[in-house]
Amino acid sequence: EKGGFEWFMLKEIDEQPSAVADTLRGRHSPGGLLQLDEMRISDTELREVDKIIVIACGTSFYAAMVAKYAIEHWTRTPCEVELASEFRYRDPILNKSTLVVTISQSGETMDTLMAIRYARQQRARVLSICNTNGSTIPRESDAVIYTHAGPEVAVASTKGFLAQVVACYLLALYIAQVKGMKYGDEIDGILAEIGRIPDGIQRMLDEGDQMRKLATELAGSRSILFLGRHVGYPVALEGALKLKELAYIHAEGFAAGELKHGPIAVIEQGLPVFVIVPPKGRDQLQEKTVSNIQEIRARGARTIVLAEDGDEDVVPYADHLIRLPKVPTLLQPLVSTVPLQIFAAEFASQLGHDVDQPRNLAKSVTVE
Ligand code: M6R
């Protein structure tokens, strides 16, 4: 059933173009309204939403972090992101104008379920993004958007994550549409961009060999860092989590802008650092990230740079350069995550670890 792949994880990474395409399918007709699955929240209620809180654990939490950027940008509604295990212990301010969005691949994560129960007690509306039909989390929510990634077997989430990110974009666009912040043709334009993403993912898969080679070259590293800005920041966290889970080495993701506030002190000769460079254009994010690469390289880091086609600024500072297709800034996680997943799987495989069933981990965490 591994379809010729050594590990389920590699098979699931390979299925990502269809996971994304299937999650988009059937939800939109040109110029028409987006259709979501079980939406037991009326448009009137949605228009009254004045705060959105996105809650999840692990990799799903990083999808939530991406969601915040899309939701605030497209809907102009304040959005918070919270780890499910922390949410209800901080006495959060919720009422019936609060929309709580939870994200869970399995639909059975206990921390997330407890957050949902708490939110509903406080009269908030709960919408869940979930990959598992009929699981507990969608059953206990007011509304559901199913991701259509297909069953995920490997403990490390891959296609589940990409599908979650797509569902978050769909939700953000849906709210933007209901609130009148975005109209049909704008939404069509954004959806068309998302519709082209599966080709971009396919390209990252086709170029996967460079990640396999890199995994061999970096074998023996006991610590690897990941830097990103904007939506590249959750991608950095996700790249680090994959490596921790599978390779059992120290891996950490940082917001690139935080470097000089502390983390740069750990940079030493030969330390591998992945840097996800945002597309050029907005808020000088690209320029600022390039200068971060210069700073770490001057201190001896071995830089692995993920940058879009045509970005020549990074070339002098990249020990390894991974090219990404040109996509809008907000959508970049859908392509930039892929090489990091391949890298983690290959790195762990070369260490002789069980890539599908890493030590100490379970596929769904049904205890708090
Ligand atoms: O099923 P969920 O999405 O609720 O699971 C959340 C986390 O337990 C999960 O993403 C975990 O971090 C994965 N092992 C990451 O690869």
Side-chain angles (χ1 to χ4, degrees), residues 137-328:
I137 284 175
R139 274 208 312 274
E140 296 209 11
S141 305
D142 299 299
V144 190
I145 304 177
Y146 281 109
T147 48
H148 298 294
E152 201 177 56
V153 176
V155 165
S157 183
T158 54
K159 61 177 182 172
F161 173 73
L162 256 57
Q164 288 167 345
V165 171
V166 169
C168 290
Y169 296 145
L170 288 172
L171 174 63
L173 292 171
Y174 184 85
I175 296 170
Q177 163 189 282
V178 171
K179 287 194 159 197
M181 304 300 297
K182 288 253 172 294
Y183 295 96
D185 48 347
E186 277 174 283
I187 293 180
D188 286 352
I190 301 167
L191 286 170
E193 301 269 17
I194 306 175
R196 284 192 280 276
I197 292 284
D199 292 339
I201 299 172
Q202 189 56 52
R203 172 179 147 191
M204 299 320 296
L205 297 172
D206 295 342
E207 293 172 8
D209 265 350
Q210 53 176 342
M211 302 318 292
R212 286 180 267 278
K213 272 198 216 115
L214 190 62
T216 313
E217 281 179 43
L218 298 185
S221 307
R222 291 301 306 152
S223 175
I224 297 184
L225 302 186
F226 296 77
L227 302 180
R229 276 176 186 266
H230 193 264
V231 288
Y233 172 38
V235 172
L237 296 172
E238 169 63 2
L241 178 64
K242 286 280 104 68
L243 210 49
K244 277 183 267 206
E245 284 191 284
L246 303 172
Y248 322 144
I249 67 165
H250 169 245
E252 219 174 325
F254 297 110
E258 272 293 294
L259 262 187
K260 53 177 96 42
H261 301 287
I264 199 161
V266 306
I267 305 287
E268 56 188 21
Q269 199 59 39
L271 179 76
V273 185
F274 283 78
V275 187
I276 302 119
V277 183
K280 270 195 186 179
R282 231 178 86 192
D283 300 332
Q284 306 263 294
L285 289 173
Q286 185 265 3
E287 289 79 354
K288 288 176 181 161
T289 310
V290 173
S291 93
N292 295 137
I293 304 173
Q294 282 174 261
E295 285 157 5
I296 56 169
R297 197 145 182 280
R299 289 161 179 82
R302 179 169 181 176
T303 57
I304 303 115
V305 176
L306 284 71
E308 70 173 14
D309 290 332
D311 182 340
E312 296 305 318
D313 305 343
V314 297
V315 175
Y317 315 109
D319 294 310
H320 305 268
L321 181 55
I322 320 282
R323 284 299 185 186
L324 304 173
K326 272 185 185 286
V327 299

Side-chain angles (χ1 to χ4, degrees), residues 57-60 103-107 109 112 155-157 164 241-242 245 365:
C57 304
T59 286
S60 302
I103 307 177
S104 174
Q105 190 286 129
S106 63
T109 301
T112 309
V155 165
S157 183
Q164 288 167 345
L241 178 64
K242 286 280 104 68
E245 284 191 284
V365 183

